[in-house]
Amino acid sequence: MNSVPRRRSRRLLVLAVAIAVLLAVNVAVPRKKAPPYVGVRVLKDLAELATVEYNVTKIVSHQDVAWYGDRKILFETAATVKAGIDMNEIHERDILLQGEAAVTVTLPRPRILLFNMKPEHMKEIFNESGILRSDFNNQEKDALLSQGEKDIRAKVAAMDILERAARQARVLTESWLKKSGFETVHVVFRGEGGQK
Amino acid sequence: MKKILSLLQLAALLAILLLLYGPLAKIGLLPPLPSLFHSGPPQIEDTPVIVQQVKNIAQMFTQTFYDEIVYDTGVMRTPLFQANKRLIFIAKGEVIAGFDLSELSEKSVIRRERSIVVKLPPARVLDVVINPSGFETFIEEGEITFEETKKFHEDARRIFERNARQKGILRNSAAQGRAMFEKFFRLLGFETVDIIIPASR
């Protein structure tokens, strides 16, 4: 008469044992992660003249809205961007001497040389997660800040930084060459009447 | 009683399924469980980039040192009943050295016909760059705050600078600066070029 409930109880016991075994397996199996690869340390020669520096700020915000709760985070970030010219691109044909006291120099087009987002200039302003949500971990924060970095790079590149860098490169070159004894200095940029 | 037993059996089967999923996700055969509830990588909102300052500079970058380190905080003991913390991350970036040419004055350049003497300032470390995209969290245990992480990131930058100095970045920077200026002034027609660079500290 009591055989059916007894059978069910036995089945439950078997299931409980199975759960216990699987729990043990879950704890025992380590999370698979590739070992970190550390690259080679390299020293490399440069010849870049940075002529302008932009200091910019950006609010990086993210809202993770879900039916089981929200997560919101807000950072204040800052970056330094330096632009200028690569002196390695100046060749013999880019310098035209006209006698002892006059020279025409063709400079390469300026470009962004350095982008730096220092950790000390970043602040976490707001960070809140719903009861059923996990907090933002480091990996997620890194990913959000990387997106912020990408956005700053794109937006700064669209500003007038390269025009300013070119203007200042011209001023500096003229000033240094005049200090070196040239009376007439003419500076042009590649593609604007100088060498191609 | 019968109903309760059936429900218990169902719950147990569900638990078994979840527990079977766990190890398979851990070894990478299945995606992690939380990722099933996410629609994709988190996206930031579109906010403006504000220019705070624009400065004219005259910095000559003559040497760069690419570095990559694994930073391990070690186990950080926390008060009783709180999980210990540990953070291991990989940092990739560069150290830039060169000259601040805004320090050049009228007296720094002496010309005599086809000879020139240029006195440069000492080579120095101009920038240490590890951007957010250069940090990769490898292991994160316990609750590590943003301020704590920032301190470790700043420490990684100090390690980068120390490694670069040990590798001789300043010596190489001075040598490259000398070679570059010599080449430039020779292109300008000078026959004798003397570049004086004081030793870096």
Side-chain angles (χ1 to χ4, degrees), chain A residues 65-84:
Chain A
V65 181
W67 60 269
Y68 48 96
D70 297 348
R71 297 194 303 165
K72 289 172 185 171
I73 195 160
L74 197 80
F75 299 100
E76 200 178 81
T77 66
T80 300
V81 189
K82 293 180 184 176

Side-chain angles (χ1 to χ4, degrees), chain B residues 35-86:
Chain B
S35 72
L36 297 178
F37 296 95
H38 288 252
S39 49
Q43 292 296 316
I44 60 165
E45 281 153 29
D46 188 24
T47 55
V49 170
I50 313 286
V51 178
Q52 299 292 347
Q53 194 186 27
V54 176
K55 263 197 306 194
N56 287 334
I57 56 169
Q59 292 182 348
M60 183 64 79
F61 302 159
T62 56
Q63 198 73 196
T64 179
F65 174 68
Y66 291 99
D67 203 357
E68 195 172 320
I69 61 163
V70 174
Y71 189 101
D72 186 353
T73 62
V75 176
M76 295 179 276
R77 303 265 169 228
T78 47
L80 216 60
F81 306 119
Q82 279 184 25
N84 286 336
K85 305 186 216 179
R86 187 179 190 184

Side-chain angles (χ1 to χ4, degrees), chain A residues 11-83:
Chain A
R11 209 180 293 162
L12 259 179
L13 191 74
V14 170
L15 285 173
V17 170
I19 288 173
V21 169
L22 283 170
L23 258 174
V25 170
N26 262 273
V27 173
V29 173
R31 198 171 291 280
K32 190 188 172 188
K33 274 230 167 182
Y37 167 78
V38 179
V40 189
R41 292 169 173 162
V42 193
L43 273 167
K44 199 181 136 202
D45 288 344
L46 294 177
E48 293 174 341
L49 174 66
T51 59
V52 73
E53 177 183 307
Y54 273 44
N55 292 304
V56 299
T57 55
K58 176 184 169 68
I59 299 292
V60 174
S61 64
H62 170 66
Q63 293 196 41
D64 180 2
V65 181
W67 60 269
Y68 48 96
D70 297 348
R71 297 194 303 165
K72 289 172 185 171
I73 195 160
L74 197 80
F75 299 100
E76 200 178 81
T77 66
T80 300
V81 189
K82 293 180 184 176

Side-chain angles (χ1 to χ4, degrees), chain B residues 158-200:
Chain B
R158 281 191 285 273
I159 293 171
F160 267 48
E161 183 170 344
R162 200 177 57 214
N163 288 347
R165 283 176 186 272
Q166 280 169 359
K167 276 267 177 186
I169 193 169
L170 295 179
R171 192 181 54 242
N172 285 23
S173 177
Q176 163 67 2
R178 178 173 284 114
M180 200 204 70
F181 278 102
E182 267 183 22
K183 181 189 156 196
F184 184 66
F185 284 108
R186 283 190 197 284
L187 286 177
L188 286 166
F190 292 99
E191 281 161 10
T192 314
V193 181
D194 194 6
I195 309 290
I196 300 168
I197 305 172
S200 305

Side-chain angles (χ1 to χ4, degrees), chain A residues 31-34 62 71 73 75 124 135-147, chain B residues 32 41-42 86-90 132-133 135-142 144-146 149 153:
Chain A
R31 198 171 291 280
K32 190 188 172 188
K33 274 230 167 182
H62 170 66
R71 297 194 303 165
I73 195 160
F75 299 100
E124 189 183 76
D135 288 334
F136 286 97
N137 61 27
N138 256 295
Q139 214 164 350
E140 288 172 305
K141 288 178 189 174
D142 283 347
L144 292 170
L145 290 169
S146 292
Q147 278 186 51
Chain B
R86 187 179 190 184
L87 180 67
I88 301 178
F89 62 84
I90 301 158
S133 59
F135 290 110
E136 191 188 318
T137 303
F138 184 63
I139 286 174
E140 182 183 359
E141 288 167 2
I144 298 163
T145 65
F146 186 69
T149 307
H153 286 182

Side-chain angles (χ1 to χ4, degrees), chain A residues 164-196:
Chain A
R164 274 179 185 268
R167 271 206 302 273
Q168 184 60 10
R170 187 193 300 270
V171 169
L172 282 175
T173 311
E174 281 174 0
S175 146
W176 290 336
L177 292 181
K178 283 188 175 164
K179 271 181 200 160
S180 311
F182 289 95
E183 283 161 20
T184 313
V185 180
H186 190 46
V187 178
V188 288
F189 284 88
R190 223 161 266 167
E192 59 164 44
Q195 302 283 331
K196 301 279 171 196

